[in-house]
Amino acid sequence: QVQLVESGGGLVQPGGSLRLSCASSGSIFRLYTMGWYRQAPGKQRELVARITDTGSTNYADSVKGRFTISRDNAKSTVSLQMNSLKPEDTAVYYCNAYLVRDVWGQGTLVTVSS
């Protein structure tokens, strides 16, 4: 079973950038649809960005033009480049892998604050 480990979260000022990474232990990473979700305090978990096995991407409207998802199948990693961060981007960010069922990472906290 695939296991996911996120890294790259932290504290950043509004307007700043962060890059999240997710490493997978699975041997068939290339077949998975990979995604980043986030959950802010008191809110439901929501999709941020997703990339399919063929490289197609989709984004939440709130992050379009600011965030970019990418994958490296050779390294079994998926990344989320986050630019022009806003306080409302503050949340725990989770890496997700989907093939037959969902697999989740443990989450990494992103705090956008001055």
Side-chain angles (χ1 to χ4, degrees):
Q1 174 174 320
V2 65
Q3 292 183 319
L4 306 173
V5 178
E6 301 102 333
S7 61
L11 173 65
V12 63
Q13 292 186 341
S17 298
L18 276 178
R19 185 176 181 87
L20 305 183
S21 294
C22 174
S24 168
S25 63
S27 60
I28 53 171
F29 174 84
R30 68 189 186 282
L31 300 180
Y32 283 83
T33 289
M34 301 299 298
W36 287 96
Y37 289 70
R38 68 186 180 188
Q39 188 166 17
K43 295 187 177 181
Q44 290 188 327
R45 191 173 297 188
E46 63 176 0
L47 173 68
V48 176
R50 182 164 47 206
I51 184 166
T52 69
D53 61 328
T54 60
S56 296
T57 58
N58 65 289
Y59 297 89
D61 287 343
S62 59
V63 307
K64 283 181 180 177
R66 300 189 297 123
F67 291 10
T68 302
I69 189 171
S70 60
R71 67 189 297 162
D72 186 335
N73 289 338
K75 296 181 179 180
S76 297
T77 58
V78 61
S79 298
L80 184 69
Q81 178 66 42
M82 305 186 294
N83 299 327
S84 302
L85 283 160
K86 304 175 181 179
E88 51 264 43
D89 294 318
T90 295
V92 177
Y93 284 70
Y94 296 91
C95 181
N96 170 270
Y98 178 80
L99 186 57
V100 176
R101 57 187 178 90
D102 286 305
V103 178
W104 296 93
Q106 82 286 355
T108 185
L109 177 63
V110 172
T111 303
V112 185
S113 175
S114 55

